[in-house]
Amino acid sequence: MFERIHLQTIKKRINESRKFIQVILGPRQVGKTTMMTQLLSQINIPYTFESADAISATNSTWLLQVWETARLQMKVSKTNEYLLVIDEIQKINNWSEVIKQQWDQDSRERTNIKVILLGSSRLLIQKGLTESLTGRFETLYLGHWSYLEMQAAFGWGVEQYVYFGGYPGSASFIEEENRWKNYINDALIETSISKDILMLTRVDKPALLKQLFELGSLYSGQILSFTKIIGQLQDAGNVTTLANYLKLLSDCGLLSGLEKYAGDVIRKRSSSPKFQVHNNALLTAQNDTTFQETRVNPKEWGRLVESSVGAHLINYSISERYNLYYWREGNEEVDFIMEKGNKTIALEVKSGIHSDNTGMSVFAQKFHPEKVLLVGTGGIPYADFLKINPIELF
């Protein structure tokens, strides 16, 4: 079975002495539970593995029971260390308070129970961590699968990755596109929205949130003002509502709205968003066209290539902690601006015959970026770019 590089990181941390709660975050269907199964088969520590997925949200007593069972098992097995793994932790109300109490009790009593928590809603997990568990945890972000991983695990070429995205669970369906699209829409999109957002967060207009996701995905790689979006949605509410819903979709690893780079925080936040899916499957699964039809349509294929580069950049921006923007002024535009500390990198994606872009030179004169890069025609082949960790560019 294919092992993601994150497995060695978490294995190393668990083999260290008990210091921090390990929190593994990431979207649905990227292999968090599979990685845990791999970890548990490779370590010699006795363990308890539980999932809160089917537990009532109000049942915080369940967490206490799980923890007490781990303590009892540790005594019965007469070992000097034990591992407790809890999946879908964000499902339990007030989970962070309970975890804090039990962790601190074990610390006082010198009970060597190591803890791994897994969750698929970044917003809810981080809220709990910052409210109750400050100084007690380390995080590990498990993002969508990269081209290199899909290539190594399933033998995919870059064109398959650009179209079908990076969900390992769907890889066996790609020869039957209707089945593949049903899987992405039902098992991934619908489940992520209903379980990670609607069940756990107050959303006054769930139909609006779903419409925003569908529209934003289909327009991935394009800049649209919220005012313009409102005209295309039923029961659209206001700009603030849409911005909040887009943030929820982003925290679940589905769809983000990139802000305009302006060298000025206030102007960045007031800009029209550039929609960007976190995985190209979320875009193509909602289209009626097939892989073969899209591949021979230069305009559509170019959009998919840019979207796949954007997805690559946005996924690594979470784990590598750099900011990602776009830039536009009048008719001049740069696809992506990466920012880390006081360094900026301007990046343009071209998949057609022409690779000229006056926007890049205008941006360079105005902001003096560290680097200007062209991906695609006349620059770095996009297949090569999708193989690198973008943090290496800084």
Side-chain angles (χ1 to χ4, degrees):
M1 189 180 289
F2 181 79
E3 293 181 0
R4 301 193 75 182
I5 194 169
H6 311 77
L7 175 62
Q8 295 309 315
T9 303
I10 194 67
K11 187 176 177 182
K12 178 176 177 290
R13 291 181 184 181
I14 289 303
N15 283 326
E16 293 171 352
S17 57
R18 179 184 182 272
K19 294 176 186 173
F20 302 109
I21 298 166
Q22 298 299 324
V23 182
I24 299 176
L25 307 169
R28 284 188 175 270
Q29 299 289 321
V30 296
K32 298 186 296 296
T33 308
T34 301
M35 189 176 78
M36 275 304 100
T37 306
Q38 292 171 332
L39 173 72
L40 297 175
S41 70
Q42 294 180 19
I43 59 175
N44 297 316
I45 305 171
Y47 64 85
T48 295
F49 180 55
E50 296 283 355
S51 175
D53 206 24
I55 306 300
S56 166
T58 56
N59 191 5
S60 56
T61 307
W62 174 81
L63 271 180
L64 296 173
Q65 293 169 335
V66 166
W67 212 294
E68 283 299 341
T69 301
R71 289 176 180 137
L72 187 61
Q73 292 284 1
M74 186 177 175
K75 284 182 182 177
V76 169
S77 58
K78 295 180 180 178
T79 56
N80 59 5
E81 63 179 346
Y82 199 85
L83 177 61
L84 174 59
V85 183
I86 304 173
D87 199 359
E88 296 294 345
I89 187 69
Q90 80 276 354
K91 287 288 299 294
I92 305 296
N93 293 344
N94 204 34
W95 64 269
S96 56
E97 276 299 321
V98 178
I99 296 289
K100 176 190 174 189
Q101 291 163 5
Q102 300 309 303
W103 176 265
D104 288 354
Q105 180 181 327
D106 283 350
S107 297
R108 287 193 303 273
E109 297 173 359
R110 300 192 177 183
T111 305
N112 191 18
I113 294 180
K114 299 172 180 179
V115 178
I116 299 177
L117 306 176
L118 290 80
S120 50
S121 176
R122 200 156 42 102
L123 176 69
L124 289 165
I125 294 284
Q126 289 177 334
K127 186 181 177 188
L129 294 177
T130 52
E131 283 178 355
S132 305
L133 293 170
T134 305
R136 295 172 177 83
F137 69 91
E138 279 184 293
T139 59
L140 180 66
Y141 184 73
L142 214 63
H144 292 280
W145 283 43
S146 68
Y147 167 46
L148 269 183
E149 289 176 307
M150 295 301 283
Q151 185 184 52
F154 305 107
W156 279 18
V158 70
E159 292 180 348
Q160 287 171 306
Y161 181 75
V162 165
Y163 185 86
F164 293 105
Y167 281 117
S170 70
S172 60
F173 301 150
I174 66 171
E175 298 302 323
E176 303 172 73
E177 273 196 56
N178 284 336
R179 188 180 178 192
W180 176 81
K181 288 182 179 183
N182 288 337
Y183 175 84
I184 298 296
N185 285 309
D186 299 338
L188 283 162
I189 296 172
E190 186 59 38
T191 306
S192 294
I193 290 175
S194 59
K195 284 197 170 186
D196 294 337
I197 299 179
L198 300 182
M199 280 178 62
L200 303 173
T201 313
R202 179 178 169 177
V203 174
D204 294 326
K205 297 181 177 181
L208 175 62
L209 183 137
K210 289 180 180 180
Q211 285 180 54
L212 176 64
F213 170 73
E214 289 166 6
L215 186 70
S217 299
L218 293 172
Y219 281 95
S220 182
Q222 297 183 50
I223 303 159
L224 279 182
S225 71
F226 282 125
T227 312
K228 191 177 288 186
I229 295 166
I230 286 172
Q232 297 190 45
L233 299 175
Q234 300 166 353
D235 189 26
N238 57 38
V239 167
T240 305
T241 302
L242 290 177
N244 289 339
Y245 287 178
L246 189 56
K247 178 74 169 68
L248 291 174
L249 290 165
S250 177
D251 286 323
C252 288
L254 296 173
L255 174 74
S256 288
L258 301 183
E259 296 167 345
K260 177 185 170 185
Y261 182 83
D264 178 314
V265 174
I266 295 170
R267 285 165 64 200
K268 285 174 190 169
R269 288 181 180 162
S270 64
S271 63
S272 298
K274 176 176 182 173
F275 287 108
Q276 177 61 57
V277 290
H278 289 228
N279 189 316
N280 258 16
L282 303 170
L283 162 58
T284 53
Q286 296 183 74
N287 272 338
D288 294 329
T289 52
T290 66
F291 171 54
Q292 295 299 340
E293 289 168 346
T294 308
R295 185 63 198 92
V296 295
N297 182 327
K299 185 178 179 182
E300 282 303 305
W301 187 251
R303 272 194 62 222
L304 277 190
V305 169
E306 183 183 334
S307 183
S308 69
V309 170
H312 184 66
L313 290 169
I314 206 164
N315 279 305
Y316 275 101
S317 74
I318 300 165
S319 56
E320 301 292 356
R321 300 178 187 275
Y322 59 81
N323 298 318
L324 186 64
Y325 306 100
Y326 74 93
W327 178 79
R328 184 171 72 177
E329 212 164 82
N331 294 322
E332 309 293 357
E333 187 179 329
V334 178
D335 290 327
F336 302 104
I337 309 297
M338 301 166 62
E339 178 188 66
K340 189 170 180 67
N342 58 1
K343 291 183 178 179
T344 57
I345 295 173
L347 199 146
E348 182 70 15
V349 185
K350 289 292 176 190
S351 60
I353 299 168
H354 303 292
S355 59
D356 56 309
N357 175 26
T358 56
M360 186 70 91
S361 57
V362 174
F363 179 87
Q365 288 171 11
K366 187 167 185 176
F367 294 103
H368 310 291
E370 186 86 3
K371 292 177 184 174
V372 291
L373 296 173
L374 180 63
V375 176
T377 308
I380 307 164
Y382 67 87
D384 293 341
F385 184 81
L386 291 173
K387 290 181 178 179
I388 68 168
N389 182 339
I391 198 69
E392 296 169 10
L393 299 173
F394 285 99

